[in-house]
Amino acid sequence: MSELHALAPVDEPVAEPVAEPVDFVGASNAVCDAVLRLRGPVLHEALGRIASAMLASPHGRFLPDAGAAEPDSAIPALRQVVAGVSEQFGVYEVAGRPGYSARDAQLLAGLAQLTASLMQVHALAQRSTHAYAQMEAQLAHQSQILDQIHESVLTMDQMGYITSWNQGAETLFGYTALEAVGRNILFLYADEDEGFQDVFAEQGGRMMEVKRRKKSGEVFWASLSLSLLRDLAERPIGLIAYLTDITERKQAEEQLHHLAYYDELTGLPNRTLFARLVDQALMVAQRNEAAGCVLFVDLNRFKRINDTLGRRIGDELLREVAQRLRGTLRDEDVVARLSGDEFAVGLFDIRQHFEATTVAQKLQASLDAPFMIGGHDLRVGASIGISVYPQDGSDAEALLGLADIAMERAKQAADNPDRSVAFYSQDMNQGMQERMRIESDLRHGLGNGELILYYQPKFEIGSGRIVGAEALVRWLHPVRGLVPPGEFIPLAESTGLIVQVGEWVLEQACAQAAIWQRAGVPPLRLAVNVSAREFTPTLPARVADTLMRYQLDASWLELEITESTLMHDFERVTTIMDRITELGVSLSLDDFGTGYSSLSYLKRFPIHTLKIDRSFTTGIPSDPSDCAIAGTIISMARQLNLRVIAEGVETLAQLDFLRAAGCDEVQGYLYSKPVPAFDFERSLRENWLLVV
């Protein structure tokens, strides 16, 4: 019965103490239960009863204050302090037995140690719970403060994922915290190139003005301030972002900027902005040792229209003129309205200054169509003066002034002021006049049968027979005679006439090939050069239509393209080439080795033949570099199962080297210069009969 009394629930009084002490385990369990469930005096009473029952003592108590009561010396008693490492919780006292042994003292000491450990853990848990409650209250208080702030405040981890989102952010962006937290901050960006990692590279504290997108899709300007978010060890764990809507301020700034730098009537840059943009472009041109031009455009007959029909009609005419000028130019060109009926154009991405005359003529041509304004059929033209950087000046104002002088010269000296163009330099004027004359004659020659085709044979080294020819255009001028290609082909390329010339060459080459095909000449490949301007998605259809009209087998035709054609828009170029080869037409890569990066793409293009440029053939066999380049091209072509032809072969020594290196074909003056169709056909038949 004594053990049952000791293990009875601690909140029930023990009727009578037993004569024998109970086991320590039972008392320990009772203490654990009491410390977990009871508090204050009730706990103290329960601990006293447990100690009394464990040692079978009539009296037992737990005193939270060791000095609160002294034991009665007339009654035998046993005392044990209950203390932890740094804190004393009280004292156990049992009394009433005749005597207490060392074992009794040991049991009571063990019970005291267990009680102290339990009370210490309980005290720590209480303090932690209290601290956690205080922290929760503080966080709730801070959250309330953040939500009351009108500014948008949010936090992100180091990967840019949102970890908190205040009420201000909900109001600004339209997303609730539930919708935003957990998503990457990039979903708020408004198609900017700003990289998130770049933000972290600034190590916080960065302030900027950015564009962001609301839930509604509206894009707005925001002032963004970033600060590092750190953990207790001061290690960066993310960012705190503060955002404020500054859209109204930005709009006001943009409006002021537009008023300061743009012409209110036409929307074009004004003289101030034009000068700034030109000076910036001149700095780039100086670093690249490039040319630049400024065009001064003065409208003809505008003052008469403005004075006769009034300012309203005149203003609308200026607006439409500005649209036509802007539509004629490239995006990288600069056009501005200076004042009244005067405009200016800046050209900087040009290879040579004479290209400015082509642009000037296009600007004048854009004004040829009448302007229908207010029921009036209005016509204006333009006189244009040109100054050149760096010959004429080194800054925008100087170039503008000289272009203005050139414009006055053009207007005074020309029979037709609407087609008058002049350079500030007299030497350039003479060159421009010659260039314009050649261009005009070439346009006339295209329509009057002055162009003819010559054919340069291609010989197969192994067999020595003619296997093809390159169709080369020649211009038989009625006054100048045979004009060298070097004089008119570059001009045709810069003016865009090369497209019409290329179409004519393809047409005539196919027509001649069809004649030979019907005459029973064995098939050979006629190579036609295709410029980059011609290499458009419409080319395959044009080739197919030409072959069909002349009933020409596709094996007779080969198109030669340059490396530069392949370097732009890989997918588009590949698609065009695939459509051409599907017709059965061969493709040859002309001037190989003079480009930049075609080697990395070569295996991906449907090329049949590589043509070694004459600049490498010329030095063979005396120049080791030319020999190495030619040998490498031939070796690489063989590995890719491509044929190789070398152009510009003029000596037997060159032929011997190319034969030994494994070159397939050659063309050049060693065999034949370019000849008219009749002479080529005669050579072809003689060569053909010789082989037979």
Side-chain angles (χ1 to χ4, degrees):
M1 292 296 294
S2 60
E3 290 184 9
L4 294 176
H5 280 293
L7 297 175
V10 295
D11 54 349
E12 297 179 4
V14 180
E16 294 181 1
V18 294
E20 297 180 0
V22 300
D23 67 293
F24 182 75
V25 174
S28 297
N29 290 337
V31 168
C32 289
D33 183 62
V35 172
L36 286 174
R37 295 193 303 110
L38 304 177
R39 301 289 181 272
V42 177
L43 172 64
H44 302 157
E45 291 176 7
L47 294 176
R49 289 198 300 271
I50 294 170
S52 173
M54 183 181 72
L55 296 180
S57 297
H59 305 289
R61 58 181 179 170
F62 176 86
L63 302 172
D65 185 359
E70 293 295 329
D72 187 350
S73 58
I75 303 175
L78 184 64
R79 293 170 63 88
Q80 179 62 50
V81 174
V82 180
V85 177
S86 59
E87 185 176 1
Q88 183 170 311
F89 299 100
V91 63
Y92 273 121
E93 181 184 277
V94 293
R97 281 177 49 193
Y100 293 95
S101 64
R103 180 173 178 273
D104 292 336
Q106 185 178 7
L107 287 172
L108 188 60
L111 188 66
Q113 184 177 0
L114 174 64
T115 304
S117 298
L118 291 172
M119 285 186 162
Q120 188 165 0
V121 171
H122 183 264
L124 286 173
Q126 278 188 315
R127 285 196 292 270
S128 296
T129 301
H130 180 66
Y132 181 75
Q134 284 185 321
M135 186 178 295
E136 278 193 326
Q138 185 177 3
L139 288 174
H141 182 62
Q142 291 177 349
S143 178
Q144 291 178 15
I145 293 175
L146 284 177
D147 283 338
Q148 294 304 315
I149 295 176
H150 294 299
E151 191 175 45
S152 171
V153 183
L154 56 99
T155 59
M156 302 165 280
D157 65 15
Q158 290 185 318
M159 297 301 294
Y161 289 94
I162 298 170
T163 54
S164 71
W165 184 266
N166 79 335
Q167 186 65 44
E170 290 190 11
T171 303
L172 179 61
F173 288 98
Y175 292 99
T176 65
L178 186 62
E179 293 173 311
V181 172
R183 298 180 68 177
N184 195 285
I185 193 67
L186 295 174
F187 88 100
L188 300 174
Y189 281 25
D191 302 326
E192 291 182 341
D193 292 331
E194 178 186 346
F196 186 76
Q197 294 300 325
D198 179 59
V199 173
F200 281 94
E202 297 292 331
Q203 292 297 309
R206 176 175 172 176
M207 297 188 68
M208 67 200 89
E209 294 179 352
V210 297
K211 281 185 177 181
R212 293 294 181 260
R213 189 182 304 279
K214 297 185 179 183
K215 184 178 181 180
S216 63
E218 176 189 350
V219 175
F220 68 99
W221 279 99
S223 172
L224 170 64
S225 174
L226 294 169
S227 301
L228 277 175
L229 185 64
R230 301 179 183 272
D231 61 11
L232 296 177
E234 291 298 311
R235 294 172 299 197
I237 59 173
L239 284 177
I240 307 174
Y242 305 88
L243 294 101
T244 305
D245 191 336
I246 58 169
T247 303
E248 291 186 3
R249 177 171 67 80
K250 290 294 293 185
Q251 289 175 343
E253 290 177 357
E254 290 174 0
Q255 186 175 4
L256 289 173
H257 180 272
H258 195 274
L259 290 174
Y261 294 108
Y262 288 86
D263 176 51
E264 185 178 1
L265 178 63
T266 63
L268 295 178
N270 60 17
R271 189 185 189 103
T272 301
L273 181 56
F274 179 79
R276 181 173 297 184
L277 294 174
V278 168
D279 284 335
Q280 290 174 355
L282 290 178
M283 293 176 62
V284 176
Q286 183 180 22
R287 289 196 297 268
N288 298 335
E289 297 182 352
C293 294
V294 169
L295 282 63
F296 196 102
V297 182
D298 183 73
L299 299 184
N300 299 321
R301 297 181 298 281
F302 172 77
K303 187 176 185 303
R304 187 193 317 159
I305 293 172
N306 196 53
D307 293 343
T308 304
L309 301 178
R311 183 173 177 178
R312 184 181 63 81
I313 298 295
D315 287 350
E316 182 59 30
L317 177 58
L318 288 174
R319 277 191 286 267
E320 293 196 17
V321 167
Q323 290 177 7
R324 291 196 189 180
L325 296 180
R326 178 68 270 177
T328 303
L329 299 168
R330 304 167 300 177
D331 291 339
E332 59 265 34
D333 299 330
V334 181
V335 57
R337 181 188 176 213
L338 303 180
S339 63
D341 59 353
E342 296 174 341
F343 296 82
V345 174
L347 305 175
F348 301 97
D349 187 16
I350 56 176
R351 291 168 294 181
Q352 51 186 348
H353 62 267
F354 284 123
E355 292 181 13
T357 61
T358 302
V359 177
Q361 289 172 325
K362 289 181 178 180
L363 292 173
Q364 291 172 329
S366 72
L367 304 178
D368 286 345
F371 295 85
M372 300 302 299
I373 301 175
H376 301 282
D377 185 338
L378 306 178
R379 296 176 184 270
V380 294
S383 299
I384 299 178
I386 305 173
S387 59
V388 179
Y389 169 86
Q391 292 95 319
D392 297 335
S394 59
D395 61 77
E397 284 301 329
L399 292 170
L400 261 179
L402 297 180
D404 188 4
I405 294 173
M407 182 275 298
E408 291 294 342
R409 290 179 183 171
K411 184 172 290 191
Q412 294 169 4
D415 295 331
N416 180 6
D418 291 349
R419 286 292 184 267
S420 59
V421 179
F423 281 96
Y424 174 74
S425 166
Q426 189 62 34
D427 292 339
M428 290 183 184
N429 266 332
Q430 292 174 353
M432 179 197 67
Q433 296 298 332
E434 176 65 13
R435 178 184 173 89
M436 292 175 66
R437 184 180 63 79
I438 294 175
E439 181 185 348
S440 177
D441 287 353
L442 180 57
R443 291 181 185 276
H444 181 270
L446 266 170
N448 288 273
E450 295 176 10
L451 299 185
I452 57 175
L453 281 187
Y454 275 39
Y455 299 87
Q456 184 170 36
K458 296 181 178 181
F459 289 83
E460 188 174 59
I461 295 178
S463 64
R465 67 186 182 89
I466 297 175
V467 292
E470 181 177 2
L472 300 169
V473 64
R474 296 293 184 263
W475 181 14
L476 190 57
H477 193 278
V479 176
R480 301 176 60 193
L482 202 61
V483 180
E487 288 191 20
F488 70 90
I489 292 298
L491 176 64
E493 289 179 345
S494 65
T495 60
L497 279 174
I498 194 66
V499 175
Q500 295 169 258
V501 172
E503 291 176 352
W504 181 90
V505 171
L506 177 64
E507 188 80 16
Q508 294 303 310
C510 288
Q512 182 61 65
I515 293 173
W516 288 330
Q517 177 182 259
R518 289 193 296 271
V521 174
L524 54 89
R525 298 189 313 278
L526 282 187
V528 173
N529 289 284
V530 177
S531 70
R533 286 178 179 263
E534 291 181 87
F535 206 78
T536 65
T538 62
L539 178 61
R542 181 158 60 85
V543 171
D545 178 64
T546 306
L547 293 173
M548 184 179 298
R549 278 189 289 105
Y550 291 104
Q551 295 297 302
L552 179 65
D553 190 277
S555 62
W556 281 78
L557 182 62
E558 180 179 63
L559 299 184
E560 289 191 1
I561 57 178
T562 59
E563 282 191 277
S564 60
T565 305
L566 307 182
M567 296 303 104
H568 307 285
D569 196 347
F570 173 81
E571 295 298 334
R572 182 184 70 87
V573 169
T574 304
T575 300
I576 296 172
M577 296 175 75
D578 287 339
R579 291 174 57 195
I580 291 173
T581 56
E582 287 171 2
L583 299 173
V585 176
S586 299
L587 288 174
S588 174
L589 192 55
D590 195 10
D591 300 336
F592 186 74
T594 61
Y596 295 99
S597 58
S598 60
L599 290 177
S600 61
Y601 292 117
L602 190 58
K603 64 181 181 180
R604 303 168 65 183
F605 289 119
I607 299 292
H608 303 92
T609 305
L610 295 184
K611 178 178 267 191
I612 302 176
D613 186 66
R614 67 173 61 250
S615 62
F616 302 127
T617 308
T618 302
I620 295 173
S622 58
D623 189 326
S625 297
D626 285 348
C627 291
I629 292 173
T632 300
I633 293 174
I634 294 170
S635 175
M636 179 184 62
R638 284 193 169 280
Q639 294 179 26
L640 295 174
N641 295 319
L642 301 176
R643 292 183 65 83
V644 183
I645 180 171
E647 63 178 352
V649 178
E650 299 180 355
T651 67
L652 288 173
Q654 292 171 341
L655 178 63
D656 290 341
F657 174 87
L658 293 169
R659 178 187 289 113
C663 184
D664 299 296
E665 302 173 18
V666 292
Q667 73 179 90
Y669 278 28
L670 176 63
Y671 285 94
S672 174
K673 63 181 181 180
V675 295
F678 175 80
D679 293 333
F680 174 75
E681 181 178 348
R682 183 178 58 189
S683 299
L684 178 64
R685 290 186 179 277
E686 290 174 356
N687 181 266
W688 174 30
L689 293 173
L690 179 63
V691 173
V692 173

